[in-house]
Amino acid sequence: MTSGPETRAEFLSKPHGFTTRVLDSDILHSFKQSKLTMVAAFVTLAFIIGAAFAPWIAPHNPFDMASIDLMDSLLPPAWEEGGDSRFPLGTDDQGRDILSGILYGARASLAVGFASVLFAATLGITLGLAAGYLGGTFGTIVMRIADIQLTFPSILIALLIDGVVHGLFEGVSRADTAYWVLIVSIGLSFWVQYARTVRASTMVERNKEYVQAARLIGIPPGLIMLRHVLPNVMGPVLVIATINLAVAIILEATLSFLGVGMPSTQPSLGTLIDIGQDFLFSGEWWITIFPGFALAALVLAVNLLGDWLRDALNPKLR
Amino acid sequence: MTAFIIRRLLQAVLVMLVVALIAFLMFRFVGDPINQMVGIETTPEQREALRVRLGLRDPILVQLARFIWNAAQFNFGTSYQFKQPVSEMILQRMPATLELSMVSAIFALIVGIPMGVYTGIRREAWLSKLFLTVSLVGISLPPFLIGILLIFIFAVNLQILPSFGRGQVVDLGFWSTGLLTVSGLKALILPAITLGLFQLTLIMRLVRSEMLEVLRTDYIKFARARGLTERAVNFGHALKNTMIPVITVTGLQLGSIIAFAIITETVFQWPGMGLLFLQSVQNVDIPIMAAYLMLIAFLFVVINLIVDILYTVVDPRVRLDGGAAV
């Protein structure tokens, strides 16, 4: 690297396309520095690809009744005595392949995780922007609700919302609505963090000159918030979202494990662990332990990525 | 001081009123309470009569006031599913949950604090690094998975501890305790570890960072300069000053321990309030859900209030003007 600060001429003479900016950024540099982060990124990516392409990668389709044979039920992993090489991680009581189950389960877990984080972030950012920019009674009410909600653990709120939604849609089977109910209950229990962070940064940005200038030339408040303030408050939101993804996956798994999440006909990792728990005592440990390890690995990897992102985006730590 | 306590009290009452409003809306508008109480053969006239008798035709504000009045006396009506008074059912199961929560909080404290002190003093020791790595894994693992792993190791493979229930309980009139029998104590071990593990890692990390902070201060340097033993410096001077945040956090965590007991109670089939609440969510048994919500909210508000007030008593530096003290 060159020593000393760049001169203006040097800086301008370099290419500044998007690719160069990414390749030259501090973030990529700090990414390359940490082996652990690279492993975490690899594991996360592997999970996402495995989940997204599950129907093509998975050796079996656990939901295709025609391909399931009860003769194959409760087979141990391939390396154990009595194992079958067709089912590397064994099968459950209905003869479904555990490995395929994990791939499809990760699909459900990640889908709910991403969607609920997106929902929570959209809701939280909108309310936080409005509360911070407009202030007044509206802002106070939003923040009061946020304060009260923050006193309760998210698992309690998600469980309550789950119960209420099922009560409101009496007669509709849980299997049909499972995805949506989960996304709404997890999303609604997480919006507070986004709202508080965005409101705090918005209140700082609101008084800066570029916002005043935008107001002066008559841009409507909605457009100022969206086009000028929003991009400047997104940094911390990204960090929260990454860490939130891990928490959302845990929360989804917990709800499914408790029997109020994904049904056993379209299981997530939590449902698989719940199903397998009954077989722990009869010696069929692989039905619950493998999905458990998959869940732990996924959550740990996303957590490590979030930790790294928080440090990399924090200029104080450079 | 008095003004501060009064303001905090008013805030607490406001929170309880908001929660009561939510509970009331759930009770009144989620599902039809009448449908849940009567059979199919009840005629519309009988239903209407029951509706009037229960006051469901009164103005909504009157109903809300009645609901709050009843809730204040811990009366939440009858469970849809079990046809028993909700307050009785909850009171019956409360000892199990409170015993579990208290034991796991104590476990978290007596294991977490020494671990935190050790990792704070011996930063470079391999054992410290092991503790920190394990605690990161502990935070990443969902509690129910930890419970299952513990069952797998200690109940299935080693077969030394029971995997479900409370064991033998002794009835002390209004309180049934599992702390007085061997089987009760054995049954408590795995659930208490499962529930306390997250708090343990939290306390350990907190004590560690507080120790690191305190050990850098001048009065510790001065204590060393006076020639005090390492032991006296670390435990007599440093640890004492880390205790205020630890007490605060533990106090605040007590509420979440009780709420997170829902998961632990499900894994170990522990007959407490959390298991009852989960069953009520699965069956949309709104009276139990509403009662549990109010009870947990009450516990949270009281704990927050006590911690806030204690904080100002213990640490006079806390600003009394302005809003939040934490």
Side-chain angles (χ1 to χ4, degrees):
Chain A
M1 298 288 171
T2 50
S3 57
E6 285 176 313
T7 62
R8 191 177 153 77
E10 269 171 5
F11 180 79
L12 288 177
S13 68
K14 282 200 297 194
H16 283 95
F18 179 71
T19 343
T20 359
R21 265 166 59 195
V22 170
L23 288 178
D24 206 27
S25 65
D26 293 346
I27 296 211
L28 189 74
H29 184 69
S30 104
F31 181 74
K32 283 186 196 153
Q33 291 276 302
S34 162
K35 288 243 163 44
L36 195 60
T37 310
M38 289 170 81
V39 173
F42 175 76
V43 172
T44 313
L45 209 63
F47 264 105
I48 292 176
I49 292 174
F53 297 102
W56 295 278
I57 299 176
H60 305 270
N61 181 355
F63 307 113
D64 181 11
M65 286 301 164
S67 77
I68 299 174
D69 190 346
L70 272 179
M71 293 298 285
D72 293 332
S73 65
L74 296 177
L75 287 173
W79 61 86
E80 294 241 324
E81 201 180 326
D84 189 323
S85 58
R86 285 179 301 148
F87 306 104
L89 299 183
T91 57
D92 68 1
D93 59 322
Q94 296 177 37
R96 295 184 291 199
D97 179 35
I98 298 290
L99 177 64
S100 311
I102 290 176
L103 286 172
Y104 277 89
R107 198 176 158 90
S109 293
L110 279 168
V112 172
F114 274 116
S116 51
V117 167
L118 197 69
F119 176 56
T122 315
L123 185 68
I125 291 170
T126 314
L127 288 175
L129 261 183
Y133 191 81
L134 305 174
T137 323
F138 173 74
T140 316
I141 292 177
V142 170
M143 284 305 123
R144 275 277 154 224
I145 297 175
D147 284 344
I148 293 178
Q149 191 179 325
L150 208 60
T151 350
F152 300 98
S154 47
I155 177 80
L156 191 65
I157 292 165
L159 273 173
L160 273 174
I161 296 172
D162 188 278
V164 168
V165 173
H166 281 301
L168 287 177
F169 296 100
E170 257 179 303
V172 183
S173 83
R174 277 187 188 256
D176 296 340
T177 48
Y179 261 111
W180 301 109
V181 175
L182 275 174
I183 291 167
V184 168
S185 24
I186 297 175
L188 282 184
S189 54
F190 282 152
W191 68 275
V192 174
Q193 282 168 292
Y194 298 94
R196 284 169 76 107
T197 316
V198 168
R199 173 174 169 270
S201 346
T202 304
M203 284 169 74
V204 175
E205 297 294 323
R206 181 177 61 180
N207 298 323
K208 288 196 177 161
E209 280 165 2
Y210 72 94
V211 176
Q212 288 174 351
R215 213 179 291 153
L216 203 62
I217 57 174
I219 301 177
L223 211 56
I224 297 182
M225 282 189 244
L226 213 61
R227 196 182 285 167
H228 301 280
V229 182
L230 183 61
N232 287 301
V233 298
M234 279 304 276
V237 170
L238 266 179
V239 177
I240 299 181
T242 318
I243 295 170
N244 237 205
L245 179 62
V247 187
I249 292 172
I250 289 188
L251 193 50
E252 186 279 328
T254 308
L255 290 175
S256 294
F257 174 79
L258 294 179
V260 292
M262 298 300 289
S264 58
T265 45
Q266 40 191 124
S268 72
L269 291 175
T271 324
L272 291 175
I273 297 168
D274 183 29
I275 297 172
Q277 199 201 0
D278 298 337
F279 294 95
L280 213 49
F281 293 96
S282 47
E284 285 92 17
W285 52 271
W286 55 88
I287 305 177
T288 190
I289 296 293
F290 285 130
F293 273 127
L295 178 68
L298 175 61
V299 171
L300 190 60
V302 176
N303 258 339
L304 286 171
L305 269 187
D307 276 356
W308 161 76
L309 197 64
R310 185 184 54 206
D311 293 348
L313 288 181
N314 187 350
K316 274 190 216 146
L317 291 176
R318 285 217 191 104
Chain B
M1 186 69 195
T2 325
F4 170 77
I5 292 177
I6 290 176
R7 193 161 54 224
R8 282 281 153 175
L9 263 174
L10 285 179
Q11 273 176 16
V13 171
L14 184 74
V15 171
M16 281 314 292
L17 283 179
V18 172
V19 174
L21 178 68
I22 295 170
F24 171 73
L25 290 177
M26 271 167 54
F27 179 72
R28 186 65 189 77
F29 295 107
V30 177
D32 184 357
I34 295 292
N35 268 351
Q36 304 283 351
M37 288 178 208
V38 297
I40 310 168
E41 65 273 13
T42 319
T43 61
E45 291 76 36
Q46 283 170 320
R47 282 168 194 253
E48 189 55 40
L50 187 61
R51 219 175 272 274
V52 173
R53 195 158 58 80
L54 291 174
L56 292 173
R57 284 276 178 254
D58 292 343
I60 206 85
L61 280 176
V62 176
Q63 290 187 42
L64 175 62
R66 191 184 300 136
F67 180 84
I68 293 177
W69 178 242
N70 283 335
Q73 302 166 0
F74 204 63
N75 173 9
F76 290 94
T78 316
S79 152
Y80 293 162
Q81 196 197 356
F82 299 101
K83 316 288 178 208
Q84 282 174 28
V86 171
S87 45
E88 252 175 49
M89 295 180 69
I90 288 192
L91 282 179
Q92 211 175 11
R93 284 156 173 263
M94 204 191 268
T97 299
L98 289 186
E99 259 174 26
L100 176 62
S101 308
M102 288 303 155
V103 171
S104 32
I106 293 168
F107 160 74
L109 278 176
I110 58 174
V111 180
I113 293 178
M115 278 170 82
V117 172
Y118 182 82
T119 48
I121 299 174
R122 303 258 161 83
R123 289 179 66 182
E124 298 303 320
W126 64 271
L127 197 57
S128 299
K129 286 179 179 149
L130 182 74
F131 282 164
L132 286 176
T133 317
V134 171
S135 80
L136 182 69
V137 176
I139 287 177
S140 294
L141 281 181
F144 69 91
L145 206 53
I146 294 174
I148 288 180
L149 285 177
L150 287 178
I151 288 182
F152 183 54
I153 297 170
F154 292 101
V156 178
N157 279 341
L158 301 176
Q159 302 198 337
I160 46 174
L161 291 171
S163 65
F164 66 89
R166 271 186 94 186
Q168 201 137 25
V169 290
V170 178
D171 217 348
L172 305 174
F174 64 100
W175 191 278
S176 67
T177 178
L179 297 175
L180 296 176
T181 60
V182 177
S183 71
L185 286 174
K186 271 175 109 177
L188 192 59
I189 295 176
L190 292 185
I193 293 178
T194 309
L195 188 55
L197 210 56
F198 183 78
Q199 265 66 35
L200 189 155
T201 52
L202 197 74
I203 290 172
M204 181 190 112
R205 282 167 173 262
L206 185 71
V207 171
R208 176 178 176 271
S209 62
E210 289 291 326
M211 281 297 274
L212 290 178
E213 197 119 311
V214 172
L215 285 175
R216 251 181 303 194
T217 51
D218 286 341
Y219 76 91
I220 293 292
K221 282 181 197 154
F222 179 63
R224 288 229 166 86
R226 277 194 297 162
L228 294 181
T229 58
E230 270 304 293
R231 195 193 184 84
V233 173
N234 287 334
F235 294 96
H237 288 74
L239 182 61
K240 224 193 226 168
N241 279 287
T242 65
M243 282 300 111
I244 291 175
V246 171
I247 291 167
T248 319
V249 169
T250 318
L252 290 176
Q253 286 292 317
L254 214 56
S256 5
I257 291 185
I258 292 170
F260 273 101
I262 301 171
I263 304 166
T264 313
E265 287 177 9
T266 312
V267 176
F268 292 95
Q269 290 299 305
W270 188 265
M273 296 187 295
L275 199 58
L276 181 70
F277 172 69
L278 184 70
Q279 285 164 352
S280 74
V281 170
Q282 284 165 344
N283 300 312
V284 198
D285 197 338
I286 299 288
I288 298 183
M289 284 168 69
Y292 185 80
L293 174 68
M294 294 284 294
L295 187 69
I296 290 283
F298 183 69
L299 280 173
F300 268 87
V301 164
V302 169
I303 290 171
N304 272 322
L305 198 66
I306 293 175
V307 168
D308 269 357
I309 292 172
L310 270 187
Y311 213 71
T312 55
V313 174
V314 176
D315 191 347
R317 285 169 301 177
V318 176
R319 275 186 310 135
L320 289 181
D321 52 278
V326 179

